Amino acid sequence: MGRGTGARPTLSLASTGRPDCHQDQGSLVGFELVRVSVPLIAPWASSAGTFSQRDSLLVRAVLRFRGDRGAANEVEGWGECPALPGPTYSAEYTAGAQDVSERYLVPALLRKSVACVAGVAPALAGVKGHNMAKTAFEAALMDAELVAGGVRMADFLGGQSRTGAVVADSVAAGVAIGLSGSLGELLDEVALRLEEGYRRVKLKVRPGWDVEPVGAVRERWPALVLFADANGSYGRLPMGQAAEQLARLDGYGLSCLEQPLGDDDLAGHAELARRLGTPLCLDEALTSPGAIVSALRVGACSVVNIKAGRLGGYLEAVRAHDLCVEQRVPVWCGGMVETGIARAANLALASLPGFCLPGDLSATGRFFEVDLAGPMALRPDGTIAVPSGAGLGVPVDQEAISRFSTSRTWWPR
Ligand code: NPG
């Protein structure tokens, strides 16, 4: 089986770009759930904990198409669930994602024989939450369907957008730096990343580690595009204290301060937004386009981090993008230290025109010595090319997936 070899059926992209699921295009053969543990080059530390391997759940979707001469042709697509090993960023975690996939998501998709990306969300609507697990299935079917039709993911997602979007061929790269052991280590890492060509840096902050690192980086690189991400860690302080401490970041020209307070504290973020000069961005709080509308309505943020996994899929991410464009709210594409499988899809998403701030979009080699898909290279101008091939648009390294896999199960069993 190839990723798209042999006779190619035509994928009907209507003017909206929505593939017609009802036409006789492909049928679902099944899914493989692949657990991988991919070693990181260096441990990743944030307020959501530290890990040295990327334990991910991958989904391989297999579709069968009838070729021109009636011969059956199987095509596979890959998706990645960005949940972390433990429930520390959100309630989802990798083993839980596998469990909900086996008990609920796979049976629902098989029962309805969902063979196209547009059918995934309706088929899974009866399962509450588990957005990251759902995203892996949506992404895998999207990849398979687009590979079969010879369509680039960026073009497909652009076609889904109400904004009449022209997608970009490259996106501004950004690098996130985990919590460092010392100021010296942090400055060394920022220097290294700038030498590599990154033009935007996101620092992790938490109470007790904020003004000093942000101030030191800003002093050394006055023109650098700088973000700070608190992962909700100021939520444990009384509001007055959090506001006072974070107001000390006001003079450092941060493009945004991300998720200072708890996931569900929209009122607190709105109050903080009134008290701070730095624009607030939300991440963990925004689990649906509706949540984005609520946050914007109460003034809880003026910048939005879009992560397909958090929102429940790439189609929801496009909806979130569209409503932010309509509200003139700048967005950027978040990352979860994913392998190249999710990062290729994120590059396609970030090619939509509302993504006007550089995201967590770093090149192959940033996190892993051996990645599962790619390469996606950083160019001298600090951008990464949007993959140009069909579907994910970059080769998936089956050998590396086998090497790092800890379990593989095929469904239907
Ligand atoms: O470039 O993928 C990346 C990392 C970006 O900092 C990053 N992600 O809160 O947005 C986040 C964060 C994160 C990743 C948090 C992993 C916790 C674990």
Side-chain angles (χ1 to χ4, degrees):
M1 183 196 328
R3 301 237 321 134
T5 49
R8 280 194 164 159
T10 37
L11 179 76
S12 67
L13 282 177
S15 56
T16 57
R18 184 173 290 277
D20 184 354
C21 259
H22 307 293
Q23 281 181 14
D24 184 22
Q25 292 178 336
S27 56
L28 178 63
V29 178
F31 297 103
E32 190 181 21
L33 301 184
V34 184
R35 284 280 291 278
V36 287
S37 185
V38 189
L40 288 166
I41 290 171
W44 173 260
S46 75
S47 299
T50 302
F51 51 94
S52 332
Q53 276 98 19
R54 193 28 168 133
D55 290 330
S56 279
L57 172 69
L58 307 179
V59 173
R60 186 170 71 92
V62 180
L63 299 179
R64 181 176 295 128
F65 292 87
R66 289 253 153 245
D68 290 342
R69 296 196 186 97
N73 179 30
E74 289 191 351
V75 176
E76 67 179 22
W78 287 90
E80 177 174 358
C81 168
L84 298 181
T88 51
Y89 165 86
S90 71
E92 288 188 85
Y93 61 103
T94 313
Q98 177 160 11
D99 189 70
V100 77
S101 297
E102 293 180 354
R103 288 176 198 268
Y104 297 101
L105 307 185
V106 169
L109 292 164
L110 289 177
R111 202 176 321 117
K112 297 194 173 136
S113 213
V114 174
C116 82
V117 59
V120 176
L124 302 182
V127 179
K128 301 265 187 201
H130 299 283
N131 283 356
M132 294 186 178
K134 290 174 178 174
T135 298
F137 288 90
E138 192 211 55
L141 281 168
M142 174 165 62
D143 182 32
E145 194 182 11
L146 297 179
V147 165
V151 177
R152 204 167 70 119
M153 199 173 282
D155 293 329
F156 170 72
L157 294 175
Q160 294 293 309
S161 171
R162 290 194 303 258
T163 59
V166 175
V167 295
D169 285 330
S170 64
V171 301
V175 71
I177 296 181
L179 286 169
S180 308
S182 70
L183 208 50
E185 260 177 47
L186 173 67
L187 293 174
D188 286 351
E189 173 144 24
V190 175
L192 170 74
R193 300 303 170 197
L194 296 183
E195 243 164 68
E196 287 173 345
Y198 290 100
R199 299 280 175 270
R200 166 283 212 181
V201 168
K202 180 171 105 174
L203 304 180
K204 294 287 184 186
V205 295
R206 59 171 159 71
W209 179 254
D210 42 30
V211 178
E212 207 188 347
V214 171
V217 170
R218 177 52 82 214
E219 192 186 335
R220 184 138 156 219
W221 294 282
L224 178 63
V225 179
L226 196 57
F227 292 15
D229 181 7
N231 286 113
S233 54
Y234 291 79
R236 54 177 185 261
L237 303 182
M239 169 58 83
Q241 204 180 324
E244 211 170 285
Q245 207 157 316
L246 291 169
R248 296 173 63 209
L249 296 176
D250 273 355
Y252 295 111
L254 289 173
S255 302
C256 63
L257 168 64
E258 194 184 351
Q259 194 72 43
L261 306 178
D263 295 10
D264 52 3
D265 191 1
L266 290 189
H269 281 103
E271 180 176 344
L272 208 50
R274 288 191 293 274
R275 295 172 68 162
L276 301 182
T278 306
L280 289 193
C281 172
L282 289 181
D283 172 13
E284 285 91 330
L286 306 179
T287 53
S288 66
I292 296 176
V293 171
S294 304
L296 294 174
R297 201 166 281 165
V298 300
C301 65
S302 54
V303 177
V304 165
N305 168 332
I306 292 185
K307 283 180 184 164
R310 199 191 63 226
L311 291 159
Y314 285 85
L315 296 183
E316 285 297 88
V318 172
R319 284 185 58 212
H321 160 272
D322 287 359
L323 77 89
C324 290
V325 168
E326 282 153 13
Q327 302 284 316
R328 296 181 197 286
V329 171
V331 304
W332 54 278
C333 182
M336 291 292 294
V337 192
E338 303 100 329
T339 76
I341 290 177
R343 294 177 98 75
N346 290 347
L347 285 174
L349 177 64
S351 72
L352 270 66
F355 287 87
C356 54
L357 292 171
D360 292 333
L361 295 160
S362 45
T364 307
R366 156 73 179 98
F367 291 119
F368 309 101
E369 202 89 61
V370 179
D371 205 338
L372 306 185
M376 289 160 273
L378 186 62
R379 304 196 299 195
D381 64 352
T383 65
I384 302 177
V386 174
S388 56
L392 284 178
V394 290
V396 171
D397 187 340
Q398 310 274 354
E399 216 269 315
I401 292 175
S402 298
R403 173 143 42 115
F404 297 127
S405 68
T406 54
S407 75
R408 300 184 81 136
T409 47
W410 173 259
W411 301 80
R413 281 164 99 71

